[in-house]
Amino acid sequence: MSASITAYRAARTTGRLNDLVAGVREAVGRGLPPDLTAYLVGERLAPHLGAADLLTDEQCEGHDDRYRQHLLHAEHDGSFSVVGLVWLPGQHTAVHDHVSWCVTGVHEGAEHERRYRLVPAASGSPARLVATEDLVNPQGAVCGFAPPGDIHRVWNAGTERAISLHVYGADISRLGTSVRRVYELPADR
């Protein structure tokens, strides 16, 4: 994806974010399968969404040209990362999937999401994507998913800023992105 990740700085955090990280650390530390881990992480994330003291002003800053990613935490052992995404009106992702399980929660505004299923090439027909679900995730909404079957596109269709928190089961500070693949196939838009 084209959005750059703002570098994580340990000094730029809040007590509430530290509490969230501790809860995620406990859930991830159980060593459960990805779907169960994502469920538990979602339970830890939900109570913090919408709280005024979760993010600093700097972590709520967007970018004029594309959605902005702020790396809020990368666990020292690489087991998870917390990223804040700031979406100005009209900003969107490409159609993509992920390197690991992911839990998202809308902190402010609303995110629109279209989920897809990959239809492989067969009998002379090219591979394509079929839309399976359109969602509007309002403030407080939490969802989780794990590859495979995690193909989607996200955008801000509103007139105000939207902010979401994403918890990934990977070290995004090392990888630079949570995206495994961007899909350039014909797709239901």
Side-chain angles (χ1 to χ4, degrees):
M1 286 203 251
S2 63
S4 62
I5 294 183
T6 303
Y8 167 70
R9 289 176 243 154
R12 303 271 188 219
T13 191
T14 67
R16 183 177 284 276
L17 182 60
N18 291 337
D19 291 345
L20 169 60
V21 167
V24 171
R25 184 178 294 125
E26 183 275 326
V28 170
R30 293 184 184 194
L32 298 171
D35 57 339
L36 294 174
T37 298
Y39 178 82
L40 291 174
V41 168
E43 285 186 331
R44 302 318 187 269
L45 176 59
H48 299 282
L49 298 172
D53 60 344
L54 179 60
L55 301 174
T56 66
D57 289 344
E58 181 182 61
Q59 294 163 344
C60 295
E61 291 178 1
H63 189 284
D64 289 340
D65 298 332
R66 63 189 179 278
Y67 70 96
R68 186 170 183 186
Q69 298 184 79
H70 297 273
L71 183 61
L72 305 175
H73 178 81
E75 189 70 350
H76 68 281
D77 66 1
S79 60
F80 72 91
S81 300
V82 181
V83 179
L85 275 65
V86 180
W87 312 80
L88 299 181
Q91 293 178 339
H92 59 86
T93 69
V95 177
H96 66 281
D97 63 7
H98 301 90
V99 297
S100 70
W101 60 263
C102 175
V103 175
T104 66
V106 179
H107 179 61
E108 176 184 302
E111 284 183 350
H112 288 68
E113 177 184 18
R114 176 165 283 177
R115 295 179 182 176
Y116 296 92
R117 177 176 50 86
L118 178 63
V119 177
S123 303
S125 296
R128 63 188 176 87
L129 295 170
V130 174
T132 59
E133 189 172 20
D134 283 319
L135 301 166
V136 177
N137 300 310
Q139 189 276 320
V142 174
C143 66
F145 46 86
D150 61 326
I151 304 169
H152 71 162
R153 178 176 184 263
V154 182
W155 69 97
N156 178 358
T159 58
E160 302 293 326
R161 174 181 74 183
I163 300 175
S164 54
L165 268 67
H166 297 231
V167 183
Y168 300 106
D171 185 348
I172 302 307
S173 68
R174 184 178 57 81
L175 298 175
T177 182
S178 66
V179 174
R180 181 173 59 148
R181 263 185 307 229
V182 170
Y183 290 84
E184 301 291 338
L185 298 172
D188 299 341
R189 298 283 174 191

